[in-house]
Amino acid sequence: MGSIREKYTLGKTVFSCEVFPPKKDQIIEPTLQKLKEFKDISPDFLSVTYGAGGSNAGHAVEIASFINNEIGVDVLSHITSVGFSREKLDAGLKTFKENGIENVLALRGDRPAYMTDDEYAGRDFEHASDMASFIRDGYPDFTIAGACYPDKHFEAASYEEDIANLKKKTDAGCSFLISQLFFDNDRFYKMLDAMKHTGINVPVSAGIMPITSARMLGTTVTLSGTSVPKSLSDIIARYGEDDEAMKEAGLEYAISQARDLLDHGVNGIHLYVMNKPEVARCIFDEIR
Ligand code: FAD
């Protein structure tokens, strides 16, 4: 499997989806079966999340290898560094390499509740940019991606500071970026403008999460901190009680977001469909 970065040079929009491995004490087989349904959707790549602290790292590697070898789709493996020493990160990267995984999304991650103070204090990487340069130097064949935030990362003191920090990430070796999910496309365009003015010239995929239930919106906003435009809250107010109508309206919202992004010539669209190939299919059928 080649470098995912090259897909952004072919003059076409790069379509990707994010999937997640089961928890470490859960069996993996049902997830593998479900992921097979992505084969005939043919995304440009699938990205596989990684539990901060590495608790389900084994499953993450198994899923990523399965996607590469059995499903035949390129894979981008997320990896986080929170609480990791250099040795631990290196061991994780080595395992990726041994399994033929050479495209990674370098993330700092957030401290998980179970991580002890000692484990947290033992971390060798403060930011994703620190791990990106470690990966670039130790694993020159790897393609490294990073995360960006149209609504600003919650810890950054200002929008400008967050974008300046993003430049450190791309300078450290992140050759493309995937955005946090957002519901207001103007935030994404504003971020692209700010990046351009800061000299960040790497391709960026826009993160879209189709909201298929009212409950899902609450959880998503809490986890991502993204803002909800009135047009989306109106949809929830109108259809929130009716599961089928809500699902349809949520998909329609995501499709119209994606169409507008395509009209603006985005480099890529990354769907947060979380192991639901049927949702990805609905959207890709409409926009590709
Ligand atoms: P960083 O880039 O380190 O940024 C964190 C904060 O530090 C920001 O406020 C930034 O402005 C600042 N900063 C960055 N670099 C510097 C620097 N060099 N000097 C000073 N300040 C700096 N989490 C998981 O646990 N597992 C996943 O699989 C996962 N996948 C994700 C995928 C995507 C596309 C996105 C957008 C997020 C994902 N996350 C995941 C969540 C992510 O781990 C959190 O958002 C985390 O809080 C920040 O990670 P980061 O890599 O952006 O951190």
Side-chain angles (χ1 to χ4, degrees):
M1 294 283 163
S3 164
I4 287 173
R5 175 65 177 79
E6 279 164 26
K7 293 177 186 279
Y8 290 92
T9 63
L10 303 177
K12 291 191 289 186
T13 317
V14 174
F15 292 106
S16 55
C17 302
E18 185 163 302
V19 301
F20 63 92
K23 294 201 175 81
K24 71 170 180 193
D25 49 356
Q26 289 174 336
I27 53 165
I28 198 166
E29 196 55 37
T31 306
L32 299 180
Q33 290 309 320
K34 189 72 192 165
L35 295 183
K36 279 186 183 167
E37 292 172 36
F38 276 103
K39 190 177 176 74
D40 58 335
I41 299 173
S42 306
D44 287 298
F45 68 90
L46 289 175
S47 85
V48 181
T49 65
Y50 188 89
S55 61
N56 63 349
H59 278 355
V61 172
E62 202 174 324
I63 296 246
S65 302
F66 183 81
I67 290 169
N68 256 343
N69 303 323
E70 303 294 326
I71 304 184
V73 168
D74 280 324
V75 77
L76 175 71
S77 279
H78 301 200
I79 185 161
T80 62
S81 63
V82 61
F84 275 21
S85 62
R86 278 186 195 80
E87 292 69 27
K88 193 161 177 190
L89 181 62
D90 194 47
L93 295 166
K94 240 186 215 128
T95 310
F96 281 169
K97 199 171 168 61
E98 284 159 9
N99 283 276
I101 301 159
E102 299 200 334
N103 293 287
V104 293
L105 177 58
L107 299 147
R108 184 201 65 185
D110 295 314
R111 180 181 175 172
Y114 69 79
M115 188 175 278
T116 64
D117 288 346
D118 278 352
E119 281 169 330
Y120 185 59
R123 67 192 186 282
D124 277 327
F125 306 94
E126 207 53 56
H127 290 291
S129 52
D130 304 321
M131 68 188 295
S133 51
F134 179 85
I135 301 170
R136 181 193 57 195
D137 295 346
Y139 294 81
D141 295 340
F142 277 29
T143 295
I144 314 166
C148 60
Y149 300 84
D151 287 277
K152 179 181 95 56
H153 186 265
F154 68 97
E155 288 168 24
S158 69
Y159 192 81
E160 292 67 29
E161 184 187 288
D162 205 27
I163 298 289
N165 289 333
L166 195 54
K167 175 85 167 65
K168 295 179 194 161
K169 209 183 276 199
T170 54
D171 286 348
C174 292
S175 63
F176 68 99
L177 300 168
I178 300 183
S179 91
Q180 179 61 287
L181 63 97
F182 57 89
F183 299 117
D184 178 353
N185 286 4
D186 285 341
R187 305 271 176 138
F188 184 76
Y189 304 139
K190 182 183 166 200
M191 180 187 71
L192 292 185
D193 270 351
M195 285 168 60
K196 204 165 143 199
H197 285 110
T198 315
I200 301 172
N201 296 312
V202 303
V204 188
S205 276
I208 301 280
M209 179 177 266
I211 296 297
T212 50
S213 74
R215 188 169 27 87
M216 188 178 169
L217 182 67
T219 321
T220 303
V221 169
T222 312
L223 290 176
S224 67
T226 194
S227 58
V228 179
K230 185 169 179 311
S231 49
L232 182 57
S233 50
D234 285 350
I235 288 176
I236 304 290
R238 183 151 180 211
Y239 302 110
E241 303 286 299
D242 178 342
D243 289 355
E244 266 314 300
M246 179 61 227
K247 190 171 167 195
E248 213 171 292
L251 280 171
E252 199 41 56
Y253 189 90
I255 289 164
S256 67
Q257 246 194 300
R259 284 198 178 122
D260 181 72
L261 288 161
L262 291 174
D263 288 346
H264 281 76
V266 287
N267 305 124
I269 292 190
H270 185 70
L271 294 181
Y272 290 95
V273 288
M274 314 315 287
N275 301 7
K276 288 196 184 131
E278 61 280 9
V279 173
R281 189 190 306 275
C282 278
I283 296 176
F284 285 155
D285 280 354
E286 291 294 326
I287 64 169
R288 283 214 279 210

